[in-house]
Amino acid sequence: MRIGYKNLKRYKEIVYVLIKYGFSFVVEKLNMEGVAYKIPITNPPEEIKNMSTGEKIRRAIEELGPTYIKLGQILSTRKDLLDQDIIDELSKLRDNVEEFDTELAKSIFKSEIGLDIDKVFKNFNDKPIGAASIGQVYEASLDSGEEVIIKIQRPNIESIIKSDLEILKSMAIALKDFKKDIDIDLIQIVEEFQTQLMRELDYNFEALNAMKFRKIFAKSDDVYIPEVYEKYTTKRILVMEKIIGVKLSDVNKIKKLGWDTKAISEIGVRSLLKQVFEHGFFHADPHPGNIFILSQKTISYIDFGMIGIVDKKSLNLLNEIAIALVEKNVDRIIYILMEMDVVNTEVDMSAIRQDLLYLIHYYYDVPLEKISITDILNEVFRFLRKYKISIPAQLLTLAKTIITLEGTGRELNPDFSLSSMGHEFMKYYYVNKFNPQRVFMSSKHIAEEMLLDIKTIPKQMRVILRNIEKNNIKMQIEDVKFVSLEEKITDLTTQISLSLVLASIVVGSSLIIASPNINNNVWIRLTAFSGFFISFIIGLLLVIKIIRSQYRKK
């Protein structure tokens, strides 16, 4: 593995942590012994030896810092890749970082906005209310009296993260052969992680998400989205309206206020369905800390750094799978998965069929109130891992969001179940599917596509005909049947060639014999008889070849 000099210190820190938690085999796999030569490779202490693999990974990630904590948090949603015990440990990862100096935060604000923080805000609380791996959060109020929160990005965090990403990429490339053992595409994971993390480093991205959600719920009484103050928002600064309410995680306070927790959980479900089915754009991290309760009739989302996007085609395929599940039509499910191009052709299809039958019949007759969405999805993810079925990332994000929402719903309402969520799902889906306006728009889109095809097909035909006229058409045909055709053509040309040679020798020899000088020269007679002899041999070979060809046909 090639090690850049500028990252040498960081490489040493990584090697030290890996060796400490018993992952020295990774150091060997990465060929990083040169970095590790000053670090004694000893057996881990008994405390670490007694940890599970998942706990060792979590503790190592916590020591490696913000970038790796973020990676661990993202991997905790990838149930299609990792076993549940590792997922459980990674789910415990939290942004547990030290606060940075407020004066430094103020200087960052001034460099971004061009004004002192005290001149922009009437009141500014020097004590941060939260410190995360990427930024720090403060409370303040504008001259107009509106209360706001301010996110200020950590100093040099972008360069630190970019350096860590560079190291992670090098490690993923060095470990690409390791895929044979763990069957995970590490390079792809790092690239996806890089894309997501670079978005989180740009607060403009979060601001745009918040504004889009505010537009989605503009006319809703159920959900309130805080306002973004664009004037004071940049890549490293985000200023948003402060939400005053009760965090959904504070269940005891909600109950003391006498609010109907069941009604609140139903609002959460309806709001997710609205995001998914009407807009294909949803809040991908609805955990209790990111939802405030304003009243028993209204909730509010905060933190829009993680969002999910799902297209209509994927939603339609999911709906088809749901219908096939109800009908216990396993073959239909397999067909849909193949249509999605997510099933490896080398996989044992009969084994997939048997496992699907088991899953369906195991859960189908169980009372709905006893079924957990999380349990079902965990079973599904085990199935996906077993058969190496690669589900699109957008659907994985949706599945993770549903799992999070169920956990959040159960905190509020212990009776929250698949039944309550399923009823809302079906009602919402079919109400929207057969909504006259939606049916009209769908019909309009279909008509527009048909008109476009009618306009396009003649042009495409003209192009094809023009290319045929100019002899520009190239065809590439690969089929097993054409191998036998090639053999037949070869046999035929061989027979024709032999026949032509035979005919020419016979004719030549006959002309020589018919010559009046044949009796005058012994060599002429010998040549004529040799020609007849050769033609006899060729004729014999030709007959044998024809008989063999006929025999092969039978």
Side-chain angles (χ1 to χ4, degrees), residues 32-261:
M32 293 172 73
E33 292 90 342
V35 178
Y37 74 98
K38 287 187 178 179
I39 303 169
I41 299 179
T42 56
N43 286 326
E46 285 301 315
E47 180 192 355
I48 292 175
K49 278 185 180 179
N50 294 330
M51 293 178 185
S52 65
T53 303
E55 191 176 356
K56 287 177 186 176
I57 292 171
R58 174 177 63 82
R59 293 280 290 272
I61 285 172
E62 285 174 340
E63 284 196 32
L64 288 172
T67 308
Y68 295 85
I69 288 172
K70 281 288 179 187
L71 176 60
Q73 289 170 343
I74 290 169
L75 286 175
S76 71
T77 69
R78 297 303 301 268
K79 291 172 181 277
D80 59 317
L81 299 178
L82 303 173
D83 291 329
Q84 191 58 41
D85 58 334
I86 296 175
I87 293 288
D88 290 339
E89 285 295 332
L90 293 179
S91 298
K92 297 175 185 176
L93 288 169
R94 293 290 178 266
D95 290 329
N96 186 20
V97 292
E98 293 182 4
E99 298 173 2
F100 64 91
D101 187 61
T102 296
E103 291 304 315
L104 187 54
K106 287 181 177 180
S107 67
I108 293 169
F109 183 91
K110 185 174 182 179
S111 67
E112 289 289 310
I113 305 299
L115 295 169
D116 286 326
I117 206 164
D118 296 325
K119 290 186 178 179
V120 174
F121 302 104
K122 185 178 179 180
N123 296 305
F124 176 80
N125 186 353
D126 285 348
K127 178 68 178 172
I129 59 170
S133 55
I134 290 178
Q136 202 151 277
V137 184
Y138 293 89
E139 292 177 312
S141 62
L142 297 166
D143 288 334
S144 57
E146 295 153 293
E147 293 190 65
V148 297
I149 61 103
I150 310 162
K151 276 190 181 180
I152 301 177
Q153 200 170 101
R154 285 182 172 275
N156 305 317
I157 189 65
E158 187 172 350
S159 60
I160 292 168
I161 286 175
K162 282 181 177 177
S163 174
D164 277 341
L165 286 171
E166 191 178 321
I167 292 170
L168 278 170
K169 266 191 177 178
S170 301
M171 290 169 70
I173 292 166
L175 288 170
K176 64 182 176 183
D177 294 332
F178 201 38
K179 185 183 176 184
K180 296 171 187 174
D181 303 319
I182 58 174
D183 198 41
I184 295 175
D185 191 339
L186 295 171
I187 297 172
Q188 184 184 358
I189 288 173
V190 171
E191 286 174 351
E192 288 176 5
F193 172 57
Q194 180 178 13
T195 301
Q196 183 165 330
L197 197 51
M198 294 311 290
R199 283 176 180 169
E200 286 192 45
L201 280 171
D202 188 349
Y203 285 154
N204 285 315
F205 180 75
E206 184 175 346
L208 287 170
N209 291 338
M211 287 187 280
K212 187 163 184 176
F213 277 111
R214 188 170 170 85
K215 188 176 179 181
I216 288 170
F217 292 105
K219 296 178 181 178
S220 172
D221 295 325
D222 291 342
V223 180
Y224 181 81
I225 304 296
E227 183 182 353
V228 174
Y229 293 88
E230 296 177 66
K231 184 179 178 181
Y232 305 118
T233 295
T234 68
K235 184 178 179 180
R236 300 176 70 197
I237 306 291
L238 175 62
V239 179
M240 294 179 71
E241 176 187 357
K242 181 184 176 183
I243 295 298
I244 299 170
V246 181
K247 270 194 177 182
L248 195 144
S249 54
D250 195 350
V251 179
N252 291 331
K253 188 172 181 180
I254 294 168
K255 288 179 178 177
K256 281 181 183 177
L257 290 167
W259 289 345
D260 186 347
T261 53

Side-chain angles (χ1 to χ4, degrees), residues 524-538:
I524 294 174
R525 282 200 306 272
L526 186 62
T527 302
F529 287 117
S530 297
F532 280 118
F533 178 74
I534 292 167
S535 63
F536 171 76
I537 298 296
I538 292 171

Side-chain angles (χ1 to χ4, degrees), residues 11 16 71 105 114 118 127 163 191 206 212 222 235 238 291 328 331 333 342 377 394 427-428 448 465 472 492-493 539:
Y11 275 115
Y16 173 79
L71 176 60
D118 296 325
K127 178 68 178 172
S163 174
E191 286 174 351
E206 184 175 346
K212 187 163 184 176
D222 291 342
K235 184 178 179 180
L238 175 62
I291 301 174
K328 298 185 183 179
D331 294 320
I333 295 169
V342 296
L377 288 173
Q394 57 178 343
K427 183 173 74 175
Y428 205 96
E448 286 174 352
L465 291 170
N472 287 337
L492 183 61
T493 52

Side-chain angles (χ1 to χ4, degrees), residues 323-525:
I323 292 169
L325 283 168
V326 171
E327 296 173 348
K328 298 185 183 179
N329 189 341
V330 174
D331 294 320
R332 177 64 181 163
I333 295 169
I334 292 172
Y335 174 77
I336 294 166
L337 290 174
M338 292 179 76
E339 280 287 293
M340 294 170 72
D341 197 25
V342 296
V343 180
N344 191 325
T345 52
E346 298 174 3
V347 172
D348 185 350
M349 299 306 290
S350 61
I352 286 183
R353 195 175 187 281
Q354 287 301 316
D355 277 6
L356 272 173
L357 273 170
Y358 169 79
L359 278 172
I360 291 169
H361 286 278
Y362 180 81
Y363 285 106
Y364 193 81
D365 296 320
V366 178
L368 287 171
E369 62 274 6
K370 292 185 179 180
I371 296 178
S372 163
I373 298 172
T374 305
D375 290 342
I376 293 174
L377 288 173
N378 285 340
E379 282 289 338
V380 170
F381 284 128
R382 272 193 285 273
F383 171 80
L384 297 177
R385 285 199 302 274
K386 181 178 178 180
Y387 294 106
K388 302 174 185 176
I389 296 174
S390 54
I391 294 297
Q394 57 178 343
L395 298 184
L396 291 171
T397 304
L398 179 58
K400 173 255 177 185
T401 303
I402 292 170
I403 290 172
T404 306
L405 185 64
E406 189 198 29
T408 301
R410 285 188 188 276
E411 283 194 31
L412 276 177
N413 175 22
D415 298 326
F416 186 85
S417 66
L418 178 64
S419 175
S420 57
M421 196 166 184
H423 288 155
E424 283 291 340
F425 173 89
M426 297 307 291
K427 183 173 74 175
Y428 205 96
Y429 180 81
Y430 284 106
V431 165
N432 277 276
K433 186 178 179 68
F434 297 110
N435 180 294
Q437 185 180 357
R438 188 169 289 273
V439 171
F440 171 75
M441 290 302 295
S442 179
S443 303
K444 183 186 173 186
H445 290 321
I446 292 169
E448 286 174 352
E449 286 178 9
M450 289 174 67
L451 285 170
L452 187 62
D453 286 340
I454 290 167
K455 289 179 181 178
T456 307
I457 289 170
K459 292 179 183 176
Q460 292 173 337
M461 289 299 295
R462 281 200 298 272
V463 171
I464 292 169
L465 291 170
R466 195 176 295 119
N467 283 325
I468 291 172
E469 188 181 0
K470 294 179 179 178
N471 200 24
N472 287 337
I473 297 291
K474 291 182 181 179
M475 295 180 70
Q476 183 175 352
I477 303 172
E478 293 179 5
D479 198 288
V480 177
K481 292 179 182 178
F482 280 86
V483 175
S484 59
L485 179 62
E486 185 182 353
E487 289 174 358
K488 287 177 182 178
I489 291 170
T490 304
D491 285 345
L492 183 61
T493 52
T494 303
Q495 290 171 22
I496 291 169
S497 300
L498 286 170
S499 300
L500 290 170
V501 171
L502 175 62
S504 61
I505 292 174
V506 169
V507 170
S509 299
S510 300
L511 289 171
I512 292 170
I513 288 174
S515 172
N517 299 320
I518 191 169
N519 295 321
N520 300 329
N521 192 318
V522 66
W523 291 107
I524 294 174
R525 282 200 306 272

